Coordinates of all heavy atoms in Angstrom, one line a residue:
M180 N -50.0 62.4 -2.7 CA -49.5 61.0 -2.6 C -48.4 60.7 -3.6 O -48.6 60.8 -4.8 CB -50.7 60.1 -2.9 CG -51.8 60.1 -1.8 SD -51.4 59.1 -0.3 CE -51.8 57.5 -0.9
A181 N -47.4 60.3 -3.0 CA -46.2 59.9 -3.9 C -46.3 58.3 -4.1 O -46.3 57.6 -3.1 CB -45.0 60.3 -3.3
S182 N -46.3 58.0 -5.4 CA -46.2 56.6 -5.7 C -44.9 56.0 -5.3 O -43.9 56.4 -5.8 CB -46.5 56.4 -7.2 OG -45.6 56.9 -8.0
S183 N -45.0 55.0 -4.5 CA -43.7 54.4 -4.0 C -43.4 53.2 -4.9 O -44.1 52.2 -5.0 CB -43.8 53.9 -2.6 OG -44.9 52.9 -2.5
G184 N -42.2 53.3 -5.6 CA -41.8 52.2 -6.4 C -40.9 51.3 -5.6 O -40.0 51.8 -4.9
M185 N -41.1 50.0 -5.7 CA -40.2 49.1 -5.0 C -39.2 48.4 -5.9 O -39.6 47.9 -7.0 CB -41.1 48.0 -4.3 CG -41.9 48.6 -3.2 SD -43.1 47.4 -2.6 CE -42.1 46.4 -1.5
T186 N -38.0 48.5 -5.5 CA -36.9 47.9 -6.3 C -36.3 46.8 -5.5 O -35.8 47.0 -4.4 CB -35.9 48.9 -6.7 OG1 -35.5 49.5 -5.6 CG2 -36.6 49.9 -7.7
F187 N -36.3 45.7 -6.1 CA -35.6 44.5 -5.5 C -34.3 44.3 -6.2 O -34.2 44.2 -7.4 CB -36.4 43.2 -5.6 CG -37.7 43.3 -4.7 CD1 -38.9 43.5 -5.3 CD2 -37.5 43.0 -3.4 CE1 -40.0 43.5 -4.5 CE2 -38.6 43.0 -2.6 CZ -39.9 43.2 -3.1
S188 N -33.3 44.3 -5.5 CA -32.0 44.0 -6.0 C -31.6 42.6 -5.6 O -31.2 42.4 -4.5 CB -31.0 45.1 -5.5 OG -30.9 44.9 -4.1
A189 N -31.8 41.8 -6.6 CA -31.4 40.4 -6.4 C -30.0 40.1 -6.6 O -29.6 39.9 -7.8 CB -32.3 39.4 -7.2
G190 N -29.1 40.4 -5.7 CA -27.8 40.2 -5.9 C -27.3 38.8 -5.5 O -27.3 38.4 -4.4
T191 N -27.0 38.1 -6.5 CA -26.4 36.7 -6.3 C -24.9 36.8 -6.4 O -24.3 36.9 -7.5 CB -27.0 35.7 -7.3 OG1 -26.8 36.2 -8.6 CG2 -28.5 35.5 -7.0
K192 N -24.3 36.7 -5.3 CA -22.9 36.8 -5.3 C -22.2 35.5 -5.1 O -22.4 34.7 -4.2 CB -22.5 37.7 -4.1 CG -21.0 38.2 -4.2 CD -20.7 39.1 -3.0 CE -19.2 39.5 -3.1 NZ -18.8 40.1 -1.9
D193 N -21.4 35.1 -6.1 CA -20.7 33.9 -6.0 C -19.5 34.0 -5.0 O -18.6 34.8 -5.3 CB -20.2 33.4 -7.4 CG -21.3 32.9 -8.3 OD1 -22.4 32.5 -7.8 OD2 -21.2 33.2 -9.5
H194 N -19.5 33.2 -4.0 CA -18.4 33.3 -3.1 C -17.5 32.0 -3.2 O -18.0 30.9 -3.4 CB -18.9 33.4 -1.7 CG -19.8 32.3 -1.3 ND1 -19.5 31.1 -0.8 CD2 -21.2 32.3 -1.3 CE1 -20.6 30.4 -0.5 NE2 -21.7 31.1 -0.9
D195 N -16.3 32.3 -3.3 CA -15.4 31.1 -3.6 C -15.0 30.5 -2.2 O -14.5 31.1 -1.3 CB -14.1 31.6 -4.2 CG -14.3 32.2 -5.7 OD1 -15.1 31.5 -6.3 OD2 -13.7 33.2 -5.9
G196 N -15.4 29.2 -2.1 CA -15.0 28.5 -0.9 C -13.6 28.1 -1.0 O -12.9 28.1 -2.0
P197 N -13.1 27.5 0.2 CA -11.7 27.1 0.1 C -11.6 25.8 -0.8 O -12.4 24.9 -0.7 CB -11.5 26.7 1.6 CG -12.8 26.5 2.2 CD -13.7 27.5 1.4
V198 N -10.6 25.8 -1.6 CA -10.5 24.8 -2.5 C -9.9 23.5 -1.9 O -8.9 23.6 -1.2 CB -9.4 25.2 -3.6 CG1 -9.2 24.0 -4.6 CG2 -9.9 26.4 -4.4
A199 N -10.7 22.4 -1.9 CA -10.2 21.2 -1.3 C -9.1 20.6 -2.0 O -9.2 20.1 -3.1 CB -11.4 20.2 -1.2
S200 N -7.9 20.7 -1.4 CA -6.8 20.1 -2.0 C -6.6 18.6 -1.7 O -6.8 18.2 -0.5 CB -5.5 20.8 -1.5 OG -5.5 20.6 -0.2
T201 N -6.5 17.8 -2.7 CA -6.4 16.4 -2.5 C -4.9 16.0 -2.4 O -4.4 15.7 -3.4 CB -7.1 15.6 -3.6 OG1 -6.6 16.1 -4.8 CG2 -8.6 15.8 -3.6
S202 N -4.5 16.0 -1.2 CA -3.0 15.6 -1.0 C -3.0 14.3 -0.2 O -2.8 14.3 1.0 CB -2.3 16.7 -0.2 OG -2.9 16.9 1.0
A203 N -3.4 13.2 -0.9 CA -3.5 11.9 -0.3 C -2.1 11.3 -0.4 O -1.6 11.0 -1.5 CB -4.5 11.1 -1.0
A204 N -1.5 11.2 0.8 CA -0.1 10.6 0.8 C -0.3 9.0 0.6 O -0.8 8.3 1.3 CB 0.6 10.8 2.1
A205 N 0.2 8.6 -0.6 CA 0.2 7.1 -0.8 C 1.0 6.4 0.2 O 2.2 6.7 0.2 CB 0.5 6.8 -2.3
S206 N 0.5 5.4 0.8 CA 1.3 4.7 1.8 C 2.1 3.6 1.0 O 1.5 2.5 0.6 CB 0.5 4.0 2.8 OG -0.6 3.2 2.2
A207 N 3.3 3.9 0.7 CA 4.2 2.9 0.0 C 4.6 1.8 1.0 O 4.9 2.1 2.2 CB 5.4 3.6 -0.6
P208 N 4.7 0.6 0.5 CA 5.1 -0.5 1.4 C 6.6 -0.3 1.8 O 7.3 0.2 1.0 CB 4.9 -1.8 0.5 CG 4.8 -1.3 -0.9 CD 4.3 0.2 -0.8
A209 N 6.8 -0.8 3.0 CA 8.2 -0.6 3.5 C 9.1 -1.3 2.6 O 8.9 -2.3 1.9 CB 8.2 -1.2 4.9
E210 N 10.3 -0.9 2.7 CA 11.4 -1.5 1.8 C 11.7 -2.9 2.1 O 12.0 -3.7 1.3 CB 12.7 -0.7 1.8 CG 13.0 0.2 0.7 CD 14.2 1.1 0.9 OE1 15.3 0.5 1.2 OE2 14.1 2.3 0.7
D211 N 11.6 -3.3 3.4 CA 11.9 -4.6 3.8 C 10.6 -5.3 4.1 O 10.6 -6.3 4.9 CB 12.8 -4.6 5.1 CG 12.2 -3.9 6.3 OD1 11.2 -3.3 6.0 OD2 12.7 -4.0 7.3
A212 N 9.5 -5.0 3.5 CA 8.3 -5.6 3.7 C 8.2 -7.0 3.0 O 8.8 -7.1 1.8 CB 7.1 -4.8 3.3
C213 N 7.5 -7.9 3.5 CA 7.3 -9.2 2.9 C 6.6 -9.1 1.5 O 5.7 -8.3 1.4 CB 6.3 -10.0 3.8 SG 5.7 -11.5 3.0
L214 N 7.1 -9.8 0.6 CA 6.6 -9.6 -0.8 C 5.3 -10.3 -1.1 O 4.6 -10.1 -2.0 CB 7.6 -10.1 -1.7 CG 8.9 -9.5 -1.8 CD1 9.9 -10.1 -2.9 CD2 8.8 -8.0 -2.2
Y215 N 4.9 -11.1 0.0 CA 3.6 -11.9 -0.2 C 2.5 -11.0 0.5 O 1.5 -10.8 -0.2 CB 3.7 -13.2 0.5 CG 4.7 -14.1 -0.3 CD1 6.1 -14.0 -0.1 CD2 4.1 -15.0 -1.2 CE1 6.9 -14.9 -0.9 CE2 4.9 -15.9 -2.0 CZ 6.3 -15.8 -1.8 OH 7.1 -16.6 -2.5
C216 N 2.6 -10.7 1.8 CA 1.6 -9.9 2.4 C 1.8 -8.5 2.4 O 0.9 -7.7 2.6 CB 1.4 -10.5 3.9 SG 2.8 -10.2 4.9
K217 N 3.0 -8.1 2.2 CA 3.4 -6.6 2.1 C 3.1 -5.9 3.5 O 2.9 -4.7 3.4 CB 2.7 -5.9 1.0 CG 3.1 -6.5 -0.4 CD 2.4 -5.7 -1.5 CE 3.0 -6.2 -2.8 NZ 2.7 -7.6 -3.2
K218 N 3.1 -6.6 4.5 CA 2.9 -6.1 5.8 C 3.9 -6.3 6.8 O 4.5 -5.5 7.4 CB 1.5 -6.6 6.4 CG 0.2 -6.0 5.7 CD -1.0 -6.7 6.3 CE -2.2 -6.4 5.5 NZ -3.2 -7.3 5.9
E219 N 4.2 -7.7 7.0 CA 5.3 -8.0 7.8 C 6.7 -7.8 7.3 O 6.9 -7.7 6.1 CB 5.1 -9.5 8.3 CG 3.7 -9.8 8.8 CD 3.3 -9.2 10.1 OE1 4.3 -9.0 11.0 OE2 2.2 -8.7 10.3
R220 N 7.6 -7.7 8.2 CA 9.0 -7.7 7.8 C 9.5 -8.9 7.2 O 9.2 -10.0 7.7 CB 9.8 -7.3 9.0 CG 10.9 -6.2 8.8 CD 11.5 -6.0 10.1 NE 12.9 -6.2 9.9 CZ 13.8 -5.3 10.5 NH1 13.4 -4.2 11.1 NH2 15.1 -5.4 10.3
R221 N 10.3 -8.8 6.2 CA 10.9 -10.0 5.6 C 11.9 -10.7 6.6 O 12.7 -10.0 7.2 CB 11.6 -9.8 4.3 CG 10.7 -9.4 3.2 CD 11.5 -9.5 1.9 NE 12.6 -8.6 1.8 CZ 12.7 -7.5 1.1 NH1 11.6 -7.1 0.5 NH2 13.7 -6.7 1.0
M222 N 11.8 -12.0 6.7 CA 12.7 -12.7 7.6 C 13.3 -13.9 7.0 O 14.2 -14.5 7.6 CB 11.9 -13.0 8.9 CG 11.7 -11.9 9.8 SD 10.8 -12.3 11.3 CE 12.0 -13.2 12.2
Y223 N 12.7 -14.3 6.0 CA 13.2 -15.6 5.3 C 13.6 -15.4 3.9 O 12.9 -14.6 3.2 CB 12.0 -16.6 5.4 CG 11.8 -17.1 6.8 CD1 11.1 -16.4 7.7 CD2 12.2 -18.4 7.1 CE1 10.9 -16.9 9.0 CE2 12.0 -19.0 8.4 CZ 11.4 -18.2 9.4 OH 11.2 -18.6 10.6
E224 N 14.6 -16.2 3.5 CA 15.0 -16.3 2.1 C 14.7 -17.6 1.5 O 14.7 -18.6 2.3 CB 16.5 -15.8 2.0 CG 17.5 -16.8 2.7 CD 18.8 -16.4 2.6 OE1 19.1 -15.2 2.5 OE2 19.8 -17.2 2.6
T225 N 14.5 -17.7 0.3 CA 14.2 -19.0 -0.4 C 15.4 -19.8 -0.3 O 16.6 -19.5 -0.4 CB 13.8 -18.7 -1.8 OG1 14.9 -18.1 -2.6 CG2 12.7 -17.8 -2.0
D226 N 15.1 -21.1 -0.1 CA 16.1 -22.1 -0.2 C 16.3 -22.6 -1.6 O 15.6 -23.5 -2.1 CB 15.8 -23.3 0.7 CG 16.9 -24.3 0.9 OD1 18.0 -24.0 0.4 OD2 16.6 -25.3 1.5
G227 N 17.1 -21.8 -2.3 CA 17.2 -22.0 -3.8 C 17.9 -20.9 -4.3 O 19.0 -20.7 -4.3
C228 N 17.1 -19.9 -4.9 CA 17.7 -18.7 -5.4 C 18.3 -17.7 -4.3 O 19.1 -16.9 -4.6 CB 16.8 -18.0 -6.3 SG 15.2 -17.6 -5.5
G229 N 17.8 -17.9 -3.1 CA 18.3 -17.1 -2.0 C 17.7 -15.8 -1.9 O 18.4 -14.9 -1.3
H230 N 16.6 -15.5 -2.4 CA 16.0 -14.1 -2.4 C 15.2 -13.9 -1.1 O 14.4 -14.8 -0.6 CB 15.1 -13.9 -3.6 CG 15.8 -13.5 -4.8 ND1 15.7 -14.3 -6.0 CD2 16.7 -12.6 -5.0 CE1 16.5 -13.6 -6.8 NE2 17.1 -12.7 -6.3
E231 N 15.4 -12.8 -0.4 CA 14.7 -12.5 0.8 C 13.3 -12.1 0.3 O 13.1 -11.1 -0.4 CB 15.3 -11.3 1.6 CG 16.8 -11.4 1.6 CD 17.3 -10.0 2.2 OE1 16.5 -9.1 2.4 OE2 18.5 -10.0 2.4
A232 N 12.3 -12.8 0.6 CA 11.0 -12.5 0.1 C 9.8 -12.6 1.2 O 8.8 -12.0 0.9 CB 10.7 -13.4 -1.1
A233 N 10.0 -13.4 2.2 CA 8.9 -13.6 3.0 C 9.0 -13.4 4.5 O 10.1 -13.4 5.1 CB 8.3 -15.1 2.9
C234 N 7.9 -13.0 5.2 CA 7.9 -12.9 6.6 C 7.7 -14.3 7.1 O 7.5 -15.2 6.4 CB 6.8 -12.0 7.0 SG 5.1 -12.6 6.7
K235 N 7.7 -14.3 8.5 CA 7.5 -15.7 9.0 C 6.3 -16.4 8.7 O 6.2 -17.5 8.3 CB 7.7 -15.5 10.6 CG 7.8 -16.8 11.3 CD 8.0 -16.6 12.8 CE 8.1 -17.9 13.6 NZ 8.3 -17.7 15.0
K236 N 5.2 -15.6 8.7 CA 3.9 -16.1 8.5 C 3.8 -16.7 7.1 O 3.3 -17.8 6.9 CB 2.8 -14.9 8.7 CG 1.6 -15.4 9.3 CD 0.8 -14.3 10.0 CE 0.5 -13.2 9.2 NZ -0.3 -12.1 9.9
C237 N 4.3 -15.9 6.1 CA 4.1 -16.3 4.7 C 5.1 -17.5 4.4 O 4.8 -18.3 3.5 CB 4.3 -15.2 3.8 SG 3.1 -13.9 4.0
A238 N 6.2 -17.4 5.1 CA 7.2 -18.6 5.0 C 6.5 -19.9 5.4 O 6.8 -20.9 4.8 CB 8.5 -18.3 5.7
M239 N 5.7 -19.7 6.5 CA 5.1 -21.0 7.1 C 4.0 -21.5 6.1 O 3.9 -22.6 5.9 CB 4.4 -20.6 8.4 CG 5.4 -20.4 9.6 SD 6.5 -21.7 9.8 CE 8.0 -20.8 10.4
K240 N 3.4 -20.5 5.4 CA 2.4 -20.9 4.5 C 2.8 -21.6 3.3 O 2.2 -22.5 2.7 CB 1.6 -19.6 4.0 CG 0.6 -19.1 4.9 CD -0.2 -18.1 4.2 CE -0.9 -17.1 5.2 NZ -1.3 -15.8 4.5
T241 N 4.1 -21.2 2.9 CA 4.7 -21.9 1.8 C 5.9 -22.6 2.2 O 7.0 -22.6 1.4 CB 5.1 -20.8 0.7 OG1 5.9 -19.8 1.3 CG2 3.8 -20.1 0.1
A242 N 5.8 -23.3 3.3 CA 7.0 -24.0 3.8 C 7.5 -25.2 3.0 O 8.7 -25.6 3.0 CB 6.7 -24.6 5.2
T243 N 6.5 -25.7 2.2 CA 6.9 -26.8 1.3 C 7.4 -26.4 -0.1 O 7.5 -27.2 -1.0 CB 5.7 -27.8 1.2 OG1 4.6 -27.1 0.7 CG2 5.4 -28.5 2.5
G244 N 7.6 -25.1 -0.2 CA 8.0 -24.7 -1.5 C 7.1 -23.8 -2.2 O 5.9 -23.7 -1.9
G245 N 7.5 -23.1 -3.3 CA 6.6 -22.3 -4.1 C 7.5 -21.5 -5.1 O 8.5 -22.0 -5.5
K246 N 6.9 -20.4 -5.5 CA 7.6 -19.7 -6.6 C 8.2 -18.3 -5.9 O 7.4 -17.6 -5.3 CB 6.6 -19.3 -7.6 CG 7.2 -19.1 -9.0 CD 6.1 -19.0 -10.1 CE 6.7 -18.7 -11.4 NZ 5.5 -18.5 -12.4
C247 N 9.4 -18.1 -6.2 CA 10.0 -16.9 -5.7 C 9.3 -15.7 -6.3 O 9.1 -15.5 -7.5 CB 11.5 -16.9 -6.1 SG 12.3 -15.4 -5.6
K248 N 9.1 -14.7 -5.4 CA 8.4 -13.5 -5.8 C 9.4 -12.5 -6.6 O 9.0 -11.6 -7.2 CB 7.8 -12.8 -4.6 CG 6.5 -13.4 -4.1 CD 5.4 -12.8 -4.9 CE 4.0 -13.2 -4.4 NZ 2.9 -12.7 -5.1
V249 N 10.7 -12.8 -6.3 CA 11.6 -11.9 -6.9 C 12.0 -12.3 -8.3 O 12.0 -11.5 -9.2 CB 12.9 -11.9 -6.0 CG1 14.0 -10.9 -6.5 CG2 12.5 -11.4 -4.6
C250 N 12.4 -13.6 -8.5 CA 12.9 -13.9 -9.8 C 11.9 -15.0 -10.5 O 12.2 -15.3 -11.6 CB 14.3 -14.6 -9.6 SG 14.4 -16.1 -8.7
G251 N 11.0 -15.6 -9.7 CA 10.1 -16.4 -10.4 C 10.5 -17.9 -10.3 O 9.8 -18.8 -10.8
Q252 N 11.7 -18.2 -9.7 CA 12.2 -19.5 -9.7 C 11.4 -20.4 -8.6 O 10.9 -19.7 -7.7 CB 13.7 -19.6 -9.3 CG 14.6 -19.4 -10.5 CD 16.0 -19.7 -10.1 OE1 16.3 -20.9 -9.7 NE2 16.9 -18.6 -10.1
L253 N 11.3 -21.6 -8.8 CA 10.7 -22.5 -7.8 C 11.8 -22.8 -6.8 O 12.9 -22.9 -6.9 CB 10.2 -23.8 -8.5 CG 9.1 -23.6 -9.5 CD1 8.8 -25.0 -10.1 CD2 7.9 -23.1 -8.8
F254 N 11.3 -22.7 -5.5 CA 12.2 -23.1 -4.4 C 11.5 -24.2 -3.6 O 10.3 -24.4 -3.6 CB 12.4 -21.8 -3.6 CG 11.2 -21.2 -3.0 CD1 10.7 -21.6 -1.7 CD2 10.5 -20.2 -3.7 CE1 9.6 -21.0 -1.2 CE2 9.3 -19.6 -3.2 CZ 8.9 -20.0 -2.0
A255 N 12.4 -24.8 -2.7 CA 12.0 -26.0 -2.0 C 11.5 -25.7 -0.6 O 10.9 -26.5 0.1 CB 13.0 -27.0 -2.1
G256 N 11.9 -24.5 -0.2 CA 11.6 -24.1 1.2 C 12.2 -22.8 1.6 O 12.6 -22.0 0.7
W257 N 12.4 -22.5 2.9 CA 12.8 -21.2 3.4 C 14.1 -21.4 4.3 O 14.1 -22.4 5.0 CB 11.7 -20.4 4.0 CG 10.6 -20.1 3.1 CD1 9.5 -20.8 3.0 CD2 10.5 -19.0 2.3 NE1 8.7 -20.1 2.1 CE2 9.3 -19.0 1.6 CE3 11.4 -17.9 2.0 CZ2 8.9 -18.1 0.7 CZ3 11.0 -17.0 1.0 CH2 9.7 -17.0 0.4
R258 N 14.9 -20.4 4.2 CA 16.0 -20.3 5.2 C 15.8 -19.0 6.0 O 15.5 -18.0 5.4 CB 17.3 -20.3 4.5 CG 17.8 -21.6 4.1 CD 19.3 -21.4 3.6 NE 19.4 -20.4 2.6 CZ 19.9 -20.7 1.3 NH1 20.1 -21.8 1.0 NH2 20.0 -19.7 0.5
Q259 N 15.9 -19.1 7.3 CA 15.8 -18.0 8.1 C 17.1 -17.1 8.0 O 18.1 -17.6 7.9 CB 15.6 -18.3 9.6 CG 15.2 -17.1 10.4 CD 14.7 -17.5 11.8 OE1 14.7 -18.6 12.2 NE2 14.1 -16.5 12.4
M260 N 16.9 -15.8 7.9 CA 18.0 -14.9 7.6 C 18.7 -14.6 8.9 O 18.1 -14.5 9.9 CB 17.6 -13.7 6.9 CG 16.9 -14.0 5.6 SD 16.8 -12.4 4.6 CE 15.7 -11.4 5.5
Ligands
ZN581 ZN1 4.2 -12.0 4.7
ZN582 ZN1 14.5 -15.7 -6.4

């Protein structure tokens, strides 16, 4: 009778998974985007300093005046470009 020795080979092999690359493309606002909502296209300039700053929607919201987003001056209304 031959004594049978049992050998366990516990081989733990580290396998390298695919490295998750984080290449998140930052969505930069468009160059001609409204400075208030940053979504719509700018269509109006301030009646004052004359900076193009707002889309139609935001110009309507601040139709009675506000502060220019470009230079900080107060303006009395908007002019359509
Ligand atoms: Zn807007
Ligand atoms: Zn301005």
